[in-house]
Amino acid sequence: QALERIEQARAYYLKPQATLASATAQWVSELFADFGLLVLDPRDVRLKKQAKSLFEQALFKETLHHTLQNDTKALKEAKQTPPAHVGTSLVFWVDGERRSRIEPTEEGFQTADGALLWSKEDMREILQGDGIAHLSANVLLRPLYQQCILPCVAYVAGPSEYLYWLQTAQAFEQANLSAPQLLLS
């Protein structure tokens, strides 16, 4: 039966226009269908629109960035190694050609490679429409994004993921989100 499941996953991946994400989602959905498992695509524009205020805060306000820096400092003071670096950007631009950090400039924003430029007004328009689908949360913003699209009261995390969530402890409050109870598995 294990070989059948492996072959099934392979077949999903070899379909035209399949991606590892789409093949995995289809495989997991079928495998756990009888248990009521729900598989969401976090890239769906409808879900991104639910997190518009989070993306807005990450792009236009420095408070969330500073909060993440403070949480990182607190981890270090507790003799823990933070799993992620808090860089200048919390949001990526994703399209068919690139996944690149969106970095602030004096005039607005640009991708880290400088290939794309936006004024602040351009970015506000992206946030208002379907262009928001191109925005992607970085690793530290991801727990907050998850809580925006599918709020939960408890989150079970493995040892590595647990540290990511600890690194975002105060950011939930800053983003006006309820932080789930974090449980180490």
Side-chain angles (χ1 to χ4, degrees):
Q1 191 171 6
L3 290 177
E4 287 175 25
R5 289 184 180 152
I6 292 169
E7 191 54 42
Q8 186 179 40
R10 185 177 182 276
Y12 289 145
Y13 185 72
L14 293 176
K15 285 183 178 179
Q17 281 81 45
T19 63
L20 182 57
S22 67
T24 302
Q26 188 174 4
W27 185 71
V28 168
S29 292
E30 189 171 305
L31 188 62
F32 294 104
D34 293 341
F35 298 99
L37 179 71
L38 175 64
V39 178
L40 298 177
D41 181 354
R43 299 167 301 171
D44 188 291
V45 69
R46 294 167 294 183
L47 297 176
K48 297 276 179 98
K49 285 180 177 181
Q50 283 185 244
K52 182 183 99 164
S53 64
L54 178 65
F55 285 119
E56 244 172 0
Q57 189 174 6
L59 289 164
F60 287 98
K61 296 180 181 172
E62 292 185 15
T63 52
L64 191 55
H65 186 262
H66 291 305
T67 301
L68 288 167
Q69 286 177 321
N70 290 339
D71 285 341
T72 301
K73 181 180 176 187
L75 265 181
K76 288 178 181 176
E77 288 170 356
K79 306 282 188 252
Q80 293 290 327
T81 302
H85 171 71
V86 182
T88 59
S89 174
L90 300 174
V91 181
F92 285 85
W93 180 265
V94 179
D95 59 29
E97 298 177 26
R98 70 188 55 80
R99 181 176 191 272
S100 185
R101 288 185 321 276
I102 297 174
E103 297 186 342
T105 66
E106 293 212 11
E107 299 78 33
F109 303 93
Q110 70 178 26
T111 52
D113 61 8
L116 299 174
L117 304 164
W118 302 273
S119 68
K120 290 179 182 179
E121 188 54 39
D122 291 339
M123 189 57 73
R124 290 188 196 286
E125 287 178 23
I126 287 168
L127 286 162
Q128 296 302 322
D130 287 349
I132 197 170
H134 291 289
L135 303 182
S136 177
N138 82 350
V139 69
L140 292 174
L141 198 61
R142 205 166 297 138
L144 284 79
Y145 178 60
Q146 287 175 210
Q147 196 66 358
C148 280
I149 64 174
L150 193 62
C152 62
V153 294
Y155 191 88
V156 180
S160 296
E161 191 176 25
Y162 189 81
L163 284 176
Y164 280 112
W165 282 73
L166 288 180
Q167 198 172 350
T168 63
Q170 302 306 311
F172 282 94
E173 185 178 332
Q174 184 64 47
N176 201 27
L177 293 168
S178 297
Q181 176 66 44
L182 191 56
L183 305 170
L184 179 61
S185 67

